[in-house]
Amino acid sequence: LAADLPKRTMLKILRSLNSKKRKHLNAILSCQDNQIGALMDFGMITIRDDLNLKAIIAYIRKLGKLPSHTDKLFVVDQYDKMQGILPLQRLLTHPPSQQVADVMVTDFIRFQIDQDAAEAARAFERYNLISAPVVDSDDKLQGRLCVDNILDFIREKTDEDLLIQAGVGEEEDLFSSVWKSARNRWGWLLINIVTAFASTRIIGVFEDIILQLVALASLMPIIAAMGGNTGNQTSMLIIRSLALGYINPSNISHLIKKELTLGLINGSFIGVILGLLSFLLYRDIALSIVMGSAMFINLLVAVLVGLGIPLMRYKWGKDPAVGTSVILTAITDSMGFFIFLGLASLFLIK
């Protein structure tokens, strides 16, 4: 709540806290929203490495309960520098007479307080973490990061991405004013108007052809719709992979080759099916071949656009999710109409 409270109210709250809690709150407020420090909490147990396990167990019993999501204890020295971690499993399975230094894990995952929270989210997913220490540049323990805070962060980022892809500003919520909500949505709606008119102009160029062969009017929406679906499948895969850090310079060429090969296979398969269905409906072999060929070409175009838009936006330092679906749908619709009607004008109209 701190970021949304009036400054005067926050000052009163800070004065009412003891020095320890004030230090913790200031540490969080000094971090940006996308940094790990903004997500950390302080419900952790720290121990020294010269104690034996029996003393640690007695201390925990005296506490009466563990902080939530405690799967490990943090081992620090007298200056609060991280020495290692003591998983609860080791605490319970090793002889009580052993010292913490002999049992603790020294090769462990830790996060810097100013590190990007998205990197932590990927690490929690990759290594199935429940909690992890947060340190400063001197390796001093500042707090801990828990899976519940990471899940909240992931959910919030996912919600933002979904809103952005739909052309809704991330600052808008369900209870925003009508005027604010309208202004947030106008931008992409106006872009949609422009792209829709562009598609109709392509159809307008081929009006005479459609009048001569009315079947084209009923078939061309299928070409556009299938292209849009294929492009969205590809772009969603790329956006998710970029968000999770799966794509890097060493595997980008392999990914492009794989998606293009998949586009060739899907284009051939769907093209043959739609060509056969067109023949069953209209008993026209030439129309069926044009339908299948247009579908094949448009699915390849959709794959190229689905790959290109998010990758280029990411390369230019932009959010790959922003506007991708709107731009992709506009291109696949326009190209679908152009390819189908263009092939029809070449091979069907005499």
Side-chain angles (χ1 to χ4, degrees):
L1 298 175
D4 298 318
L5 292 175
K7 188 175 181 180
R8 184 175 295 180
T9 304
M10 270 307 305
L11 288 173
K12 289 182 180 179
I13 292 173
L14 285 169
R15 291 194 193 101
S16 70
L17 299 176
N18 60 41
S19 59
K20 184 178 180 181
K21 290 184 177 180
R22 191 182 303 123
K23 179 183 176 183
H24 288 167
L25 182 57
N26 282 327
I28 293 175
L29 293 177
S30 65
C31 297
Q32 298 177 12
D33 290 343
N34 63 338
Q35 292 181 331
I36 286 174
L39 304 178
M40 67 181 180
D41 67 48
F42 307 96
M44 55 196 174
I45 297 177
T46 59
I47 56 175
R48 300 286 176 83
D49 63 358
D50 57 351
L51 295 172
N52 60 35
L53 300 188
K54 183 178 180 180
I56 303 298
I57 293 172
Y59 172 70
I60 292 175
R61 281 206 186 97
K62 189 175 180 181
L63 283 178
K65 66 175 183 178
L66 292 171
S68 60
H69 304 296
T70 297
D71 64 322
K72 58 180 70 77
L73 311 181
F74 300 151
V75 185
V76 298
D77 64 11
Q78 59 181 331
Y79 303 108
D80 281 337
K81 283 193 174 184
M82 285 295 302
Q83 302 294 302
I85 58 171
L86 179 61
L88 292 185
Q89 184 179 14
R90 291 197 175 198
L91 176 64
L92 297 175
T93 56
H94 283 72
S97 59
Q98 282 194 284
Q99 285 195 321
V100 172
D102 299 325
V103 180
M104 70 180 186
V105 177
T106 56
D107 182 18
F108 60 95
I109 295 171
R110 73 194 88 188
F111 299 105
Q112 294 290 323
I113 193 170
D114 57 353
Q115 194 173 344
D116 193 333
E119 295 178 15
R122 291 193 288 269
F124 266 73
E125 180 190 27
R126 186 176 300 119
Y127 301 112
N128 295 319
L129 299 176
I130 295 176
S131 67
V134 179
V135 299
D136 62 13
S137 57
D138 297 322
D139 210 28
K140 287 187 176 181
L141 182 65
Q142 299 297 309
R144 67 167 185 165
L145 196 58
C146 292
V147 65
D148 58 337
N149 291 332
I150 286 294
L151 288 175
D152 288 342
F153 172 78
I154 292 172
R155 186 182 65 239
E156 182 179 343
K157 294 300 292 181
T158 302
D159 290 345
E160 288 178 5
D161 288 345
L162 288 173
L163 288 172
I164 289 170
Q165 289 170 37
V168 180
E170 59 187 79
E171 70 275 6
E172 181 183 340
D173 60 36
L174 183 63
F175 300 103
S176 298
S177 67
V178 173
W179 177 244
K180 181 180 179 181
S181 297
R183 285 188 291 112
N184 280 335
R185 303 182 194 187
W186 279 349
W188 288 112
L189 290 175
L190 291 172
I191 292 174
N192 279 334
I193 291 174
V194 174
T195 57
F197 266 99
S199 297
T200 59
R201 287 302 84 212
I202 291 173
I203 296 172
V205 172
F206 296 98
E207 279 181 356
D208 294 338
I209 298 168
I210 295 173
L211 290 173
Q212 293 180 54
L213 191 58
V214 180
L216 297 176
S218 63
L219 292 175
M220 64 183 185
I222 301 174
I223 304 290
M226 291 299 297
N229 289 336
T230 300
N232 277 319
Q233 287 177 344
T234 303
S235 65
M236 289 302 102
L237 175 67
I238 298 300
I239 291 169
R240 181 179 183 275
S241 299
L242 288 170
L244 295 175
Y246 293 159
I247 297 178
N248 54 61
S250 64
N251 62 20
I252 186 68
S253 59
H254 171 75
L255 177 66
I256 293 173
K257 289 178 183 177
K258 177 209 164 190
E259 288 300 316
L260 288 176
T261 303
L262 192 60
L264 288 169
I265 295 171
N266 287 343
S268 301
F269 178 66
I270 301 298
V272 169
I273 290 177
L274 287 178
L276 291 173
L277 290 174
S278 300
F279 180 75
L280 292 175
L281 285 173
Y282 298 103
R283 301 294 177 179
D284 188 328
I285 294 178
L287 177 61
S288 301
I289 294 173
V290 166
M291 182 69 178
S293 301
M295 179 58 68
F296 173 77
I297 297 171
N298 198 38
L299 289 192
L300 283 181
V301 170
V303 169
L304 287 171
V305 175
L307 281 168
I309 294 174
L311 287 175
M312 285 191 294
R313 287 189 61 84
Y314 182 77
K315 184 178 180 180
W316 294 334
K318 305 292 185 180
D319 188 340
V322 176
T324 293
S325 61
V326 175
I327 300 170
L328 186 145
T329 302
I331 294 175
T332 53
D333 282 358
S334 300
M335 288 302 297
F337 296 149
F338 179 77
I339 292 166
F340 182 52
L341 296 175
L343 289 175
S345 66
L346 290 175
F347 300 105
L348 299 181
I349 306 300
K350 298 178 182 179

